[in-house]
Every structure is written in C-alpha cells, then in structure tokens.
C-alpha cells in the first residue's frame, strides 16, 4: 500500500462546458444517467462511471456531480454520471446497490448506442463520493461477492476505483460512527440485519483484483478517515493494489468543489488510473 499525505492549497482552473445526454437505463424515474462526451471527434473514449453521494437519500441527486464530469471530459474521458433509486423514494436495500451495477451494465447497450459506439468498454473505471463511494467500491467488488449478493451480476468489467471519503465498513459506520443514513439504507442495525451489512460492506469482499485509490480528508467529521484506513489495510493484506491519500485540513465537503485542490488531487488519481489501462 502507498499512503500519501498531501497538503492542499491550490485550486483548479475553469473547466470547459460539456452538454450531457440524459439516458434511462431502467423503467423507474430515478434510473437514468447523464452521459458526458469529450469535445471533438474522438472515436474511442475511456469511461468513468461517476456516483454521487448524499447519504443514499432521496434529497440528494446527481446534479452537483456534473461539475466533476465536465472537469474530466477535458482530459478525453467520457463520464457516465448515474442516478439511482434512493432512500425516501423507491430505493433502499437492496435496490440502491443493484442500480449501480445495472447502470454500469447499461454502458454496453443503451449508453453505447447513444454514444454512437465511441465508448471503450475495455477501459471502464468507477469513482464515487461518500455514500457514492460505498456504491462505487461495492460495484467494483461485485465479481468477488457470493451467491447471496443481489442481482444483477456485473457484465461490464471495472478496471479501477477512485473513492472520495467513502464508507467501506457499514457496521463500523452504524455503530462507532452512529450513522443514521447507513441504518436507513439497510433497514436497521447490524444486529437486525447482519447479512445485509456483510453484503453491503466493500471491506467484506476483498480481494477485488483492481487498483483502488482511497482519498480522505483528515478533518472529515462526517465519514471517519478510519473507514479508508481500515479498507486500505485490509485490501493490502488481501493482496490488492491500493493507494491511500490523506489530505490534511480537508473535511468532508471540499471534494464537491471543483475549484478545490482536494478535487484536483482526486481528478489526477482518476486520470492516472485511466492512463494505466
């Protein structure tokens, strides 16, 4: 494991605007995504599946993640910014988790069709923030999960995962972290639904045999940095390739600002993963 502590003080520049195409990947009103293609006439774009956070709750949606998507398209990367069914709407256990895999699988059909075949499905990566970080890491771990994992199976291989302030251990979050959002997603405490907590926790599905970068602010008071530290240690012990990047003085919300150095560090991690494939 490579653990890096980065001081963040600079900001990124203004990103070129890209108009997305909204695509439904299933029948529900919240099963859609926005596809951002890089400007120009490129014929084969790597893809990042982008998963927003917000406590898996209906009150949050994908709109703010559009700024991340536009930031990445400047580097020749297509972005599939996905929405999913959430708690308070039609989501919850296990629908919210299943939607992330269904949305990723949609790259091979309806999304590729809308992209006129320009997506390189051998170079699909995933990135997520906070609750979306849990979903991203969970989707990446889907091939390593047991027969009791909720359908569908992952059909489009994920080549890397970049996780911002992610929740990797759901039991730790619900108990030590007293995270009500986790309890809402899984319908109770770990003592009520131990199998749900096991299945939903990315830390329980190692190794996943793809490179992972976990970024976390040392001043995060929403999701403890211990989530990323414990995951990185467990992934290393399981033989996975994992980089832990700790950001001094950074809290939970800085990642959402594309002008922040926290996002600049994340973006570079994503670009490095894309360029390595």
């Amino acid at each position: 494991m490579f653990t890096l502590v980065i001081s963040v003080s600079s900001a990124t520049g203004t990103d070129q605007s890209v108009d997305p195409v909204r695509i439904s990947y299933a029948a529900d009103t919240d099963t859609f995504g926005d596809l951002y293609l890089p400007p120009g006439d490129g014929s084969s774009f790597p893809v990042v599946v982008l998963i927003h956070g917000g406590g898996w709750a209906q009150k949050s949606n994908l709109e703010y993640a559009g700024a991340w998507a536009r930031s990445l398209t400047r580097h020749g990367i297509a972005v599939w910014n996905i929405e999913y069914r959430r708690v308070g709407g039609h989501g919850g256990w296990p629908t919210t988790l299943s939607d992330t895999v269904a949305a990723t699988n949609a790259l091979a059909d309806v999304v590729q069709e809308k992209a006129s075949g320009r997506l390189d499905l051998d170079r699909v990566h995933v990135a997520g923030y906070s609750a979306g970080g849990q979903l991203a890491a969970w989707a990446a771990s889907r091939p390593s999960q047991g027969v009791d994992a909720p359908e569908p199976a992952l059909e489009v291989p994920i080549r890397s995962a970049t996780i911002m302030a992610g929740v990797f251990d759901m039991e730790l979050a619900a108990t030590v972290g007293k995270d009500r959002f986790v309890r809402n997603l899984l319908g109770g405490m770990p003592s009520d639904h131990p199998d749900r907590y096991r299945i939903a926790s990315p830390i329980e599905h190692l190794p996943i045999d793809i490179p992972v970068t976990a970024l976390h602010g040392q001043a995060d008071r929403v999701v403890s940095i211990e989530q990323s530290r414990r995951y990185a240690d467990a992934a290393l012990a399981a033989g996975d390739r994992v980089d832990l990047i700790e950001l001094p003085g950074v809290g939970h919300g800085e990642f959402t600002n594309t002008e922040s150095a926290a996002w600049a560090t994340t973006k570079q991690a994503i670009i490095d993963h894309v360029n390595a494939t």
Side-chain angles (χ1 to χ4, degrees), residues 160-183:
S160 78
T162 304
I163 312 298
M164 299 168 271
V167 183
F168 296 99
D169 186 329
M170 303 295 265
E171 181 174 355
L172 179 69
T175 54
V176 177
K178 303 185 186 303
D179 191 325
R180 63 182 175 87
F181 294 105
V182 170
R183 300 196 300 270

Side-chain angles (χ1 to χ4, degrees), residues 28-30 56-60 84-93 95-96 99 184:
D28 192 90
T29 55
D30 281 334
W56 308 275
Q58 188 69 21
K59 66 180 181 181
S60 294
Y84 49 91
R85 287 172 284 185
R86 305 175 300 288
V87 176
H90 296 158
W93 171 265
T95 305
T96 298
D99 280 354
N184 291 342

Side-chain angles (χ1 to χ4, degrees), residues 17-127:
S17 178
V18 176
D19 292 327
V21 177
R22 180 152 293 185
I23 306 167
S24 295
Y25 62 85
D28 192 90
T29 55
D30 281 334
T31 51
F32 64 87
D34 289 341
L35 176 65
Y36 294 77
L37 294 174
D41 299 321
S43 59
S44 185
F45 299 121
V47 187
V48 170
V49 179
L50 190 59
I51 309 179
H52 73 84
W56 308 275
Q58 188 69 21
K59 66 180 181 181
S60 294
N61 61 45
L62 56 63
E63 295 301 330
Y64 73 86
W68 291 333
R70 292 185 177 91
S71 178
L72 288 167
T73 59
R74 295 182 61 207
H75 300 272
I77 300 169
V79 179
W80 176 223
N81 180 25
I82 67 167
E83 191 56 273
Y84 49 91
R85 287 172 284 185
R86 305 175 300 288
V87 176
H90 296 158
W93 171 265
T95 305
T96 298
L97 282 73
S98 296
D99 280 354
T100 62
V101 175
T104 303
N105 288 342
L107 288 169
D109 43 62
V110 63
V111 183
Q112 182 72 295
E113 180 181 352
K114 291 290 187 181
S116 300
R118 290 182 290 168
L119 304 180
D120 185 348
L121 299 185
D122 290 325
R123 301 176 69 195
V124 174
H125 305 260
V126 67

Side-chain angles (χ1 to χ4, degrees), residues 147-159:
V147 296
D148 56 354
E151 295 293 334
L154 183 67
E155 298 171 356
V156 175
I158 293 172
R159 302 304 184 188

